[in-house]
Coordinates of all heavy atoms in Angstrom, one line a residue:
I21 N -64.9 25.6 -44.6 CA -64.6 26.1 -43.3 C -63.4 26.9 -43.3 O -62.4 26.4 -43.8 CB -64.4 24.9 -42.3 CG1 -65.7 24.1 -42.2 CG2 -64.1 25.5 -40.9 CD1 -65.5 22.8 -41.3
D22 N -63.4 28.1 -42.9 CA -62.3 29.0 -42.9 C -61.6 29.0 -41.5 O -62.2 29.5 -40.5 CB -62.7 30.4 -43.2 CG -61.5 31.4 -43.4 OD1 -60.4 30.9 -43.2 OD2 -61.7 32.5 -43.7
L23 N -60.5 28.4 -41.5 CA -59.7 28.2 -40.2 C -58.6 29.3 -40.1 O -57.9 29.4 -39.1 CB -59.1 26.9 -40.1 CG -60.0 25.7 -40.1 CD1 -59.3 24.4 -40.1 CD2 -61.0 25.7 -38.9
G24 N -58.5 30.2 -41.1 CA -57.5 31.2 -41.1 C -56.1 30.7 -41.6 O -55.2 31.5 -41.7
I25 N -56.0 29.4 -41.9 CA -54.8 28.9 -42.4 C -55.2 27.9 -43.6 O -56.3 27.4 -43.6 CB -53.9 28.1 -41.4 CG1 -54.7 27.0 -40.8 CG2 -53.4 29.1 -40.3 CD1 -53.9 26.1 -39.9
D26 N -54.2 27.7 -44.5 CA -54.5 26.8 -45.6 C -54.0 25.4 -45.1 O -52.9 25.2 -44.6 CB -53.7 27.2 -46.8 CG -54.2 28.5 -47.4 OD1 -55.4 28.7 -47.3 OD2 -53.4 29.2 -47.9
L27 N -54.9 24.4 -45.3 CA -54.5 23.0 -45.0 C -54.6 22.2 -46.3 O -55.4 22.5 -47.2 CB -55.5 22.4 -44.0 CG -55.7 23.2 -42.7 CD1 -56.9 22.6 -41.9 CD2 -54.4 23.1 -41.9
I28 N -53.9 21.1 -46.3 CA -54.0 20.2 -47.4 C -54.4 18.9 -46.8 O -53.7 18.3 -45.9 CB -52.7 20.0 -48.2 CG1 -52.4 21.3 -48.9 CG2 -52.8 18.9 -49.2 CD1 -51.0 21.4 -49.6
I29 N -55.6 18.4 -47.1 CA -56.1 17.2 -46.6 C -56.6 16.3 -47.7 O -57.4 16.7 -48.5 CB -57.3 17.4 -45.6 CG1 -56.8 18.2 -44.4 CG2 -57.9 16.1 -45.1 CD1 -57.8 18.6 -43.4
D30 N -56.1 15.1 -47.8 CA -56.6 14.1 -48.8 C -57.5 13.1 -48.0 O -57.2 12.8 -46.8 CB -55.4 13.4 -49.4 CG -55.8 12.5 -50.5 OD1 -56.8 12.8 -51.2 OD2 -55.1 11.4 -50.8
I31 N -58.5 12.7 -48.6 CA -59.5 11.8 -48.0 C -59.3 10.4 -48.6 O -59.4 10.2 -49.8 CB -60.9 12.3 -48.2 CG1 -61.0 13.7 -47.6 CG2 -61.9 11.3 -47.6 CD1 -62.3 14.4 -47.9
K32 N -59.2 9.4 -47.7 CA -59.1 8.0 -48.0 C -60.3 7.3 -47.3 O -60.4 7.4 -46.1 CB -57.8 7.4 -47.6 CG -56.6 8.1 -48.1 CD -56.4 7.9 -49.6 CE -55.1 8.5 -50.0 NZ -55.0 8.7 -51.4
T33 N -61.1 6.5 -48.0 CA -62.2 5.8 -47.4 C -62.0 4.3 -47.6 O -61.4 3.9 -48.6 CB -63.5 6.2 -48.0 OG1 -63.5 5.9 -49.4 CG2 -63.9 7.6 -47.8
N34 N -62.3 3.5 -46.6 CA -62.3 2.1 -46.6 C -63.1 1.5 -45.5 O -63.8 2.2 -44.8 CB -60.8 1.6 -46.7 CG -60.0 2.0 -45.5 OD1 -60.6 2.1 -44.3 ND2 -58.8 2.4 -45.7
E35 N -62.9 0.2 -45.2 CA -63.6 -0.4 -44.1 C -62.6 -0.8 -43.0 O -62.9 -1.7 -42.1 CB -64.4 -1.6 -44.6 CG -65.5 -1.2 -45.5 CD -66.4 -2.3 -46.0 OE1 -66.1 -3.5 -45.6 OE2 -67.3 -2.1 -46.8
K36 N -61.4 -0.3 -43.0 CA -60.4 -0.6 -42.0 C -60.5 0.3 -40.8 O -60.9 1.4 -40.9 CB -59.0 -0.5 -42.6 CG -58.7 -1.4 -43.7 CD -57.3 -1.1 -44.3 CE -57.1 -2.0 -45.5 NZ -55.8 -1.6 -46.2
P37 N -60.1 -0.3 -39.6 CA -60.2 0.6 -38.4 C -59.3 1.8 -38.5 O -58.1 1.7 -38.9 CB -59.7 -0.3 -37.3 CG -59.8 -1.7 -37.8 CD -59.7 -1.6 -39.3
V38 N -59.8 3.0 -38.2 CA -59.1 4.2 -38.4 C -58.0 4.3 -37.3 O -57.0 5.1 -37.5 CB -60.0 5.5 -38.4 CG1 -60.9 5.4 -39.6 CG2 -60.7 5.6 -37.1
A39 N -58.1 3.6 -36.2 CA -57.1 3.7 -35.2 C -55.8 3.2 -35.6 O -54.7 3.6 -35.1 CB -57.6 2.9 -33.9
D40 N -55.8 2.3 -36.6 CA -54.6 1.7 -37.2 C -54.0 2.5 -38.3 O -53.0 2.1 -38.9 CB -54.9 0.2 -37.7 CG -55.4 -0.7 -36.5 OD1 -55.0 -0.4 -35.4 OD2 -56.1 -1.6 -36.8
A41 N -54.6 3.6 -38.7 CA -54.2 4.3 -39.9 C -52.8 4.9 -39.7 O -52.6 5.5 -38.6 CB -55.2 5.4 -40.3
K42 N -52.0 4.9 -40.7 CA -50.7 5.5 -40.7 C -50.3 6.0 -42.1 O -50.9 5.5 -43.1 CB -49.6 4.6 -40.1 CG -49.4 3.4 -40.9 CD -48.3 2.5 -40.2 CE -47.9 1.3 -41.1 NZ -46.8 0.6 -40.5
L43 N -49.4 6.8 -42.2 CA -49.0 7.4 -43.4 C -47.9 6.5 -44.1 O -46.9 6.1 -43.4 CB -48.4 8.8 -43.3 CG -49.4 9.8 -42.8 CD1 -48.7 11.2 -42.6 CD2 -50.6 9.9 -43.7
W44 N -48.0 6.2 -45.3 CA -47.1 5.4 -46.1 C -46.3 6.4 -47.0 O -46.7 7.6 -47.2 CB -47.8 4.4 -46.9 CG -48.5 3.4 -46.1 CD1 -49.8 3.4 -45.6 CD2 -47.9 2.2 -45.6 NE1 -50.1 2.3 -44.9 CE2 -49.0 1.5 -44.8 CE3 -46.7 1.5 -45.7 CZ2 -48.8 0.3 -44.2 CZ3 -46.5 0.3 -45.0 CH2 -47.5 -0.3 -44.3
D45 N -45.2 6.0 -47.6 CA -44.5 6.8 -48.5 C -45.3 7.4 -49.6 O -45.2 8.5 -50.0 CB -43.3 6.0 -49.1 CG -42.2 5.8 -48.1 OD1 -42.1 6.5 -47.1 OD2 -41.3 5.0 -48.4
E46 N -46.3 6.6 -50.2 CA -47.1 7.0 -51.2 C -48.0 8.2 -50.8 O -48.3 9.1 -51.6 CB -48.0 5.9 -51.7 CG -47.3 4.8 -52.5 CD -46.5 3.8 -51.6 OE1 -46.6 3.9 -50.4 OE2 -45.7 3.0 -52.2
H47 N -48.5 8.2 -49.5 CA -49.2 9.3 -49.0 C -48.4 10.6 -48.9 O -48.8 11.7 -49.3 CB -49.8 9.0 -47.6 CG -50.7 7.9 -47.5 ND1 -50.6 6.9 -46.6 CD2 -51.8 7.5 -48.3 CE1 -51.6 6.0 -46.7 NE2 -52.3 6.4 -47.8
L48 N -47.1 10.4 -48.5 CA -46.2 11.5 -48.3 C -45.9 12.2 -49.7 O -45.9 13.4 -49.8 CB -44.9 11.1 -47.6 CG -45.1 10.6 -46.2 CD1 -43.8 10.0 -45.7 CD2 -45.6 11.7 -45.3
M49 N -45.7 11.3 -50.7 CA -45.5 11.8 -52.1 C -46.7 12.6 -52.6 O -46.6 13.6 -53.2 CB -45.1 10.7 -53.0 CG -43.7 10.2 -52.7 SD -43.1 9.0 -54.0 CE -44.0 7.5 -53.5
Q50 N -47.9 12.0 -52.3 CA -49.1 12.7 -52.8 C -49.3 14.0 -52.2 O -49.6 15.0 -52.8 CB -50.3 11.7 -52.5 CG -51.6 12.2 -53.2 CD -52.7 11.2 -53.0 OE1 -52.6 10.3 -52.2 NE2 -53.7 11.3 -53.8
L51 N -49.1 14.1 -50.8 CA -49.3 15.4 -50.1 C -48.3 16.4 -50.6 O -48.6 17.6 -50.8 CB -49.2 15.1 -48.6 CG -50.4 14.3 -48.0 CD1 -50.0 14.0 -46.5 CD2 -51.7 15.1 -48.1
A52 N -47.0 15.9 -50.7 CA -46.0 16.8 -51.2 C -46.3 17.3 -52.6 O -46.0 18.5 -52.9 CB -44.6 16.1 -51.2
A53 N -46.8 16.5 -53.5 CA -47.1 16.9 -54.8 C -48.2 17.9 -54.8 O -48.2 18.9 -55.6 CB -47.6 15.7 -55.7
Y54 N -49.2 17.8 -53.9 CA -50.3 18.8 -53.8 C -49.7 20.1 -53.4 O -50.0 21.2 -53.9 CB -51.3 18.4 -52.8 CG -52.2 17.2 -53.1 CD1 -52.8 16.5 -52.1 CD2 -52.4 16.8 -54.4 CE1 -53.6 15.4 -52.4 CE2 -53.2 15.8 -54.7 CZ -53.8 15.0 -53.7 OH -54.6 14.0 -54.0
Q55 N -48.8 20.1 -52.4 CA -48.1 21.3 -51.9 C -47.3 22.0 -53.1 O -47.4 23.2 -53.2 CB -47.2 21.0 -50.7 CG -48.0 20.8 -49.5 CD -47.1 20.7 -48.3 OE1 -46.0 20.2 -48.4 NE2 -47.6 21.1 -47.1
M56 N -46.6 21.2 -53.8 CA -45.8 21.7 -54.9 C -46.7 22.4 -56.0 O -46.4 23.4 -56.5 CB -45.0 20.6 -55.6 CG -43.8 20.1 -54.7 SD -43.0 18.7 -55.4 CE -42.4 19.3 -57.0
G57 N -47.9 21.8 -56.2 CA -48.8 22.3 -57.2 C -49.5 23.6 -56.7 O -49.8 24.5 -57.5
I58 N -49.6 23.8 -55.4 CA -50.2 25.0 -54.9 C -49.2 26.1 -54.6 O -49.4 27.2 -55.0 CB -51.0 24.6 -53.6 CG1 -52.2 23.7 -53.9 CG2 -51.5 25.9 -52.9 CD1 -52.8 23.1 -52.7
H59 N -48.1 25.8 -53.9 CA -47.2 26.8 -53.5 C -45.8 26.6 -54.0 O -44.9 27.5 -53.8 CB -47.1 26.8 -51.9 CG -48.4 27.2 -51.3 ND1 -48.9 28.5 -51.4 CD2 -49.3 26.5 -50.6 CE1 -50.1 28.5 -50.7 NE2 -50.3 27.3 -50.2
N60 N -45.4 25.4 -54.5 CA -44.1 25.1 -54.9 C -43.1 25.1 -53.7 O -41.9 25.3 -53.8 CB -43.5 25.9 -56.0 CG -42.4 25.2 -56.7 OD1 -42.2 24.0 -56.7 ND2 -41.5 26.0 -57.3
E61 N -43.7 24.9 -52.5 CA -42.9 24.8 -51.3 C -43.7 24.1 -50.2 O -44.9 24.0 -50.3 CB -42.4 26.2 -50.8 CG -43.6 27.1 -50.4 CD -43.1 28.5 -50.0 OE1 -42.6 28.6 -48.9 OE2 -43.3 29.4 -50.8
I62 N -43.0 23.6 -49.2 CA -43.7 22.9 -48.1 C -43.9 24.0 -47.0 O -43.0 24.4 -46.3 CB -42.9 21.7 -47.6 CG1 -42.7 20.7 -48.7 CG2 -43.5 21.1 -46.4 CD1 -41.8 19.6 -48.4
K63 N -45.2 24.4 -46.9 CA -45.4 25.4 -45.8 C -46.8 25.2 -45.2 O -47.1 25.8 -44.1 CB -45.3 26.8 -46.4 CG -46.4 27.2 -47.3 CD -46.2 28.7 -47.7 CE -47.5 29.3 -48.2 NZ -47.4 30.7 -48.5
N64 N -47.6 24.3 -45.7 CA -49.0 24.1 -45.2 C -49.0 22.8 -44.4 O -48.4 21.8 -44.8 CB -50.0 24.0 -46.3 CG -50.1 25.3 -47.1 OD1 -49.3 25.4 -48.0 ND2 -51.0 26.1 -46.8
P65 N -49.8 22.8 -43.3 CA -50.0 21.5 -42.6 C -50.7 20.6 -43.6 O -51.6 21.1 -44.4 CB -51.0 21.9 -41.5 CG -50.7 23.4 -41.2 CD -50.4 23.9 -42.6
A66 N -50.4 19.4 -43.6 CA -50.9 18.4 -44.6 C -51.2 17.1 -43.9 O -50.4 16.7 -43.1 CB -50.0 18.2 -45.8
G67 N -52.2 16.4 -44.3 CA -52.5 15.1 -43.7 C -53.5 14.4 -44.5 O -54.1 14.8 -45.5
I68 N -53.8 13.2 -44.0 CA -54.7 12.3 -44.7 C -55.9 12.1 -43.7 O -55.7 11.8 -42.5 CB -54.1 10.9 -45.0 CG1 -52.9 11.0 -45.9 CG2 -55.2 10.0 -45.6 CD1 -53.1 11.4 -47.3
L69 N -57.1 12.3 -44.2 CA -58.3 12.0 -43.4 C -58.8 10.6 -43.8 O -59.2 10.3 -44.9 CB -59.4 13.0 -43.7 CG -60.8 12.7 -43.1 CD1 -60.7 12.7 -41.6 CD2 -61.8 13.7 -43.6
F70 N -58.6 9.6 -42.9 CA -59.0 8.3 -43.1 C -60.4 8.1 -42.6 O -60.7 8.5 -41.4 CB -58.0 7.3 -42.3 CG -56.6 7.3 -42.8 CD1 -55.6 8.1 -42.3 CD2 -56.3 6.5 -43.9 CE1 -54.4 8.0 -42.8 CE2 -55.0 6.4 -44.4 CZ -54.0 7.2 -43.8
M71 N -61.3 7.6 -43.4 CA -62.7 7.5 -43.1 C -63.1 6.0 -43.3 O -62.9 5.4 -44.3 CB -63.6 8.4 -43.9 CG -63.2 9.8 -43.7 SD -64.2 10.9 -44.8 CE -65.9 10.7 -44.1
N72 N -63.6 5.4 -42.2 CA -64.2 4.1 -42.3 C -65.7 4.3 -42.5 O -66.4 4.6 -41.6 CB -63.9 3.3 -41.0 CG -64.6 1.9 -41.0 OD1 -65.6 1.7 -41.5 ND2 -63.8 1.0 -40.4
H73 N -66.2 4.1 -43.7 CA -67.6 4.4 -44.0 C -68.5 3.3 -43.5 O -69.7 3.6 -43.3 CB -67.8 4.5 -45.5 CG -67.3 3.4 -46.3 ND1 -68.1 2.2 -46.5 CD2 -66.2 3.1 -47.0 CE1 -67.4 1.4 -47.3 NE2 -66.2 1.9 -47.6
K74 N -68.0 2.2 -43.1 CA -68.8 1.1 -42.5 C -69.1 1.4 -41.1 O -70.3 1.3 -40.6 CB -68.2 -0.2 -42.7 CG -69.0 -1.4 -42.2 CD -68.2 -2.7 -42.4 CE -69.0 -3.9 -41.8 NZ -68.3 -5.1 -41.9
D75 N -68.1 1.8 -40.3 CA -68.3 2.1 -38.9 C -68.5 3.5 -38.6 O -68.6 3.9 -37.4 CB -67.0 1.5 -38.1 CG -66.9 0.0 -38.2 OD1 -67.9 -0.7 -38.4 OD2 -65.8 -0.5 -38.1
M76 N -68.5 4.4 -39.6 CA -68.7 5.8 -39.4 C -67.6 6.4 -38.5 O -68.0 7.2 -37.6 CB -70.1 6.1 -38.9 CG -71.2 5.6 -39.9 SD -71.2 6.4 -41.5 CE -71.7 8.0 -41.1
E77 N -66.4 6.1 -38.7 CA -65.3 6.6 -37.9 C -64.4 7.4 -38.9 O -64.3 7.1 -40.0 CB -64.4 5.5 -37.3 CG -65.2 4.7 -36.3 CD -64.3 3.6 -35.8 OE1 -63.5 3.0 -36.5 OE2 -64.4 3.3 -34.6
A78 N -63.7 8.4 -38.3 CA -62.7 9.1 -39.1 C -61.5 9.6 -38.2 O -61.7 9.7 -37.0 CB -63.4 10.4 -39.7
R79 N -60.4 9.8 -38.8 CA -59.2 10.2 -38.1 C -58.3 10.9 -39.1 O -58.0 10.4 -40.2 CB -58.5 9.0 -37.5 CG -57.2 9.3 -36.8 CD -56.6 8.1 -36.2 NE -55.3 8.4 -35.7 CZ -54.2 7.7 -35.9 NH1 -54.2 6.6 -36.6 NH2 -53.0 8.1 -35.4
I80 N -57.7 12.0 -38.7 CA -56.7 12.7 -39.5 C -55.3 12.3 -39.0 O -55.1 12.4 -37.8 CB -56.9 14.2 -39.5 CG1 -58.2 14.6 -40.1 CG2 -55.7 14.9 -40.2 CD1 -58.4 16.1 -40.1
V81 N -54.5 11.9 -39.9 CA -53.1 11.7 -39.6 C -52.3 12.8 -40.2 O -52.2 12.9 -41.5 CB -52.6 10.3 -40.0 CG1 -51.1 10.1 -39.6 CG2 -53.5 9.2 -39.4
W82 N -51.7 13.7 -39.5 CA -50.9 14.8 -40.0 C -49.5 14.3 -40.3 O -48.9 13.6 -39.6 CB -50.8 15.9 -39.0 CG -52.2 16.5 -38.7 CD1 -53.0 16.3 -37.6 CD2 -52.9 17.4 -39.6 NE1 -54.1 17.0 -37.8 CE2 -54.2 17.7 -39.0 CE3 -52.7 17.9 -40.8 CZ2 -55.1 18.5 -39.5 CZ3 -53.6 18.7 -41.4 CH2 -54.8 19.0 -40.7
A83 N -48.9 14.8 -41.4 CA -47.5 14.5 -41.8 C -46.6 15.6 -41.2 O -46.9 16.8 -41.3 CB -47.4 14.5 -43.3
E84 N -45.6 15.1 -40.6 CA -44.6 16.0 -40.0 C -43.8 16.7 -41.2 O -43.6 16.1 -42.2 CB -43.6 15.3 -39.1 CG -44.3 14.6 -37.9 CD -44.8 15.7 -36.9 OE1 -44.3 16.8 -36.8 OE2 -45.8 15.4 -36.3
P85 N -43.3 17.9 -41.0 CA -42.6 18.6 -42.0 C -41.4 17.9 -42.6 O -41.2 17.9 -43.8 CB -42.2 19.9 -41.4 CG -43.1 20.2 -40.3 CD -43.5 18.8 -39.8
E86 N -40.7 17.2 -41.8 CA -39.5 16.4 -42.3 C -40.0 15.2 -43.1 O -39.3 14.9 -44.1 CB -38.6 15.9 -41.2 CG -39.2 15.0 -40.2 CD -39.9 15.7 -39.0 OE1 -40.0 17.0 -39.0 OE2 -40.3 15.0 -38.1
L87 N -41.2 14.7 -42.8 CA -41.7 13.6 -43.7 C -42.2 14.1 -45.0 O -42.1 13.5 -46.0 CB -42.8 12.8 -42.9 CG -42.3 12.0 -41.8 CD1 -43.5 11.3 -41.1 CD2 -41.3 10.9 -42.2
L88 N -42.8 15.3 -45.0 CA -43.2 16.0 -46.2 C -42.0 16.3 -47.1 O -42.1 16.2 -48.3 CB -44.0 17.2 -45.9 CG -45.5 17.0 -45.4 CD1 -46.1 18.3 -45.0 CD2 -46.3 16.3 -46.5
A89 N -40.9 16.7 -46.5 CA -39.7 17.0 -47.3 C -39.2 15.7 -47.9 O -38.8 15.7 -49.1 CB -38.6 17.6 -46.4
K90 N -39.3 14.6 -47.2 CA -38.9 13.3 -47.8 C -39.8 12.9 -48.9 O -39.4 12.5 -50.0 CB -39.0 12.2 -46.7 CG -38.8 10.8 -47.1 CD -39.0 9.8 -46.0 CE -39.0 8.4 -46.5 NZ -39.4 7.4 -45.5
G91 N -41.1 13.1 -48.7 CA -42.1 12.8 -49.8 C -41.9 13.7 -51.0 O -42.0 13.2 -52.1
R92 N -41.5 15.0 -50.8 CA -41.2 15.8 -51.9 C -40.0 15.3 -52.7 O -40.1 15.3 -54.0 CB -41.0 17.3 -51.4 CG -40.7 18.3 -52.5 CD -40.3 19.6 -51.9 NE -40.0 20.6 -52.9 CZ -40.8 21.6 -53.3 NH1 -41.9 21.8 -52.7 NH2 -40.4 22.4 -54.2
Q93 N -39.0 14.9 -52.0 CA -37.8 14.4 -52.7 C -38.1 13.1 -53.5 O -37.7 13.0 -54.6 CB -36.7 14.2 -51.7 CG -35.3 13.8 -52.4 CD -34.9 14.9 -53.4 OE1 -34.9 16.1 -53.1 NE2 -34.5 14.5 -54.5
M94 N -38.9 12.2 -52.9 CA -39.3 11.0 -53.6 C -40.1 11.3 -54.8 O -39.9 10.7 -55.9 CB -40.0 10.1 -52.6 CG -39.1 9.4 -51.6 SD -40.0 8.2 -50.6 CE -41.2 9.2 -49.8
F95 N -41.1 12.2 -54.6 CA -42.0 12.6 -55.8 C -41.1 13.2 -56.9 O -41.3 12.8 -58.1 CB -43.1 13.5 -55.3 CG -43.9 14.0 -56.5 CD1 -44.8 13.2 -57.1 CD2 -43.7 15.3 -56.9 CE1 -45.5 13.7 -58.1 CE2 -44.4 15.8 -58.0 CZ -45.4 15.0 -58.6
K96 N -40.3 14.1 -56.6 CA -39.4 14.8 -57.6 C -38.6 13.8 -58.3 O -38.4 13.9 -59.5 CB -38.6 15.9 -57.0 CG -39.4 17.1 -56.6 CD -38.6 18.1 -55.8 CE -37.5 18.7 -56.6 NZ -36.8 19.7 -55.8
S97 N -38.0 12.8 -57.6 CA -37.2 11.8 -58.2 C -38.0 10.9 -59.2 O -37.6 10.6 -60.3 CB -36.6 10.9 -57.1 OG -35.7 11.6 -56.4
L98 N -39.2 10.5 -58.8 CA -40.1 9.7 -59.6 C -40.5 10.5 -60.9 O -40.7 10.0 -62.0 CB -41.3 9.2 -58.9 CG -41.0 8.1 -57.9 CD1 -42.2 7.7 -57.1 CD2 -40.4 6.9 -58.6
L99 N -40.8 11.8 -60.7 CA -41.2 12.7 -61.8 C -40.1 12.8 -62.8 O -40.3 12.7 -64.0 CB -41.6 14.1 -61.2 CG -42.1 15.0 -62.3 CD1 -43.4 14.5 -62.9 CD2 -42.4 16.4 -61.6
E100 N -38.8 13.0 -62.3 CA -37.7 13.0 -63.2 C -37.5 11.7 -64.0 O -37.2 11.7 -65.2 CB -36.4 13.3 -62.4 CG -36.3 14.8 -62.0 CD -36.3 15.7 -63.2 OE1 -35.6 15.5 -64.2 OE2 -37.0 16.8 -63.1
Y101 N -37.7 10.6 -63.3 CA -37.7 9.3 -64.0 C -38.7 9.2 -65.1 O -38.4 8.8 -66.2 CB -37.9 8.2 -62.9 CG -38.1 6.8 -63.5 CD1 -37.1 6.1 -64.1 CD2 -39.4 6.3 -63.6 CE1 -37.3 4.8 -64.6 CE2 -39.7 5.1 -64.2 CZ -38.6 4.3 -64.7 OH -38.9 3.1 -65.3
W102 N -39.9 9.7 -64.8 CA -41.0 9.6 -65.7 C -40.7 10.5 -66.9 O -40.9 10.1 -68.1 CB -42.3 10.0 -65.1 CG -43.5 9.9 -66.0 CD1 -44.2 8.8 -66.3 CD2 -44.1 11.0 -66.8 NE1 -45.2 9.1 -67.2 CE2 -45.2 10.4 -67.5 CE3 -43.8 12.3 -66.9 CZ2 -46.0 11.2 -68.3 CZ3 -44.6 13.1 -67.7 CH2 -45.7 12.5 -68.4
Y103 N -40.2 11.7 -66.7 CA -39.7 12.6 -67.8 C -38.7 11.9 -68.7 O -38.8 11.9 -69.9 CB -39.2 13.9 -67.3 CG -40.2 14.9 -66.7 CD1 -39.8 15.8 -65.7 CD2 -41.5 14.9 -67.2 CE1 -40.8 16.7 -65.3 CE2 -42.4 15.8 -66.7 CZ -42.0 16.7 -65.7 OH -43.0 17.6 -65.3
A104 N -37.7 11.3 -68.0 CA -36.7 10.6 -68.8 C -37.2 9.4 -69.6 O -36.9 9.2 -70.8 CB -35.6 10.1 -67.9
K105 N -38.1 8.7 -69.0 CA -38.7 7.5 -69.7 C -39.6 7.9 -70.8 O -39.6 7.3 -71.9 CB -39.5 6.7 -68.7 CG -40.1 5.5 -69.2 CD -40.9 4.7 -68.1 CE -41.5 3.5 -68.7 NZ -42.3 2.7 -67.7
T106 N -40.3 9.0 -70.7 CA -41.3 9.4 -71.7 C -40.7 10.5 -72.7 O -41.3 10.9 -73.6 CB -42.6 10.0 -71.1 OG1 -42.3 11.1 -70.3 CG2 -43.3 8.9 -70.4
V107 N -39.4 10.8 -72.4 CA -38.7 11.8 -73.3 C -39.4 13.1 -73.3 O -39.7 13.7 -74.3 CB -38.4 11.3 -74.7 CG1 -37.4 12.2 -75.4 CG2 -37.9 9.9 -74.7
L108 N -39.8 13.6 -72.1 CA -40.5 15.0 -72.0 C -39.5 16.0 -71.4 O -38.6 15.7 -70.7 CB -41.7 14.9 -71.2 CG -42.9 14.1 -71.8 CD1 -44.0 14.1 -70.8 CD2 -43.3 14.8 -73.1

C-alpha cells in the first residue's frame, strides 16, 4: 500500500487482548534499529502492529519520536557493549 510516506511497522502475533498492548523498551530498540538500518536517523513514523490471531483483532501502537530517540540510545549502547564483548 502506497501511503505517500515511509512507515516502519513490526508485527507481533499472540493470543493476548490487543486493547492491552503497549510498547516496551525492547520494542523501542527494535524500531529504532530498523530506522538506523534504513535511514540512520529517526524520521519515519514507527509502530508495532499487535495481532491476536485467535480473536482476529489487531491494533497499531505508534511510538512517539522521543521514545524512539530513547530506543535508539539504548540500542546503540547495547551494540557498543556487544562490540566490546566480542572484540569487533
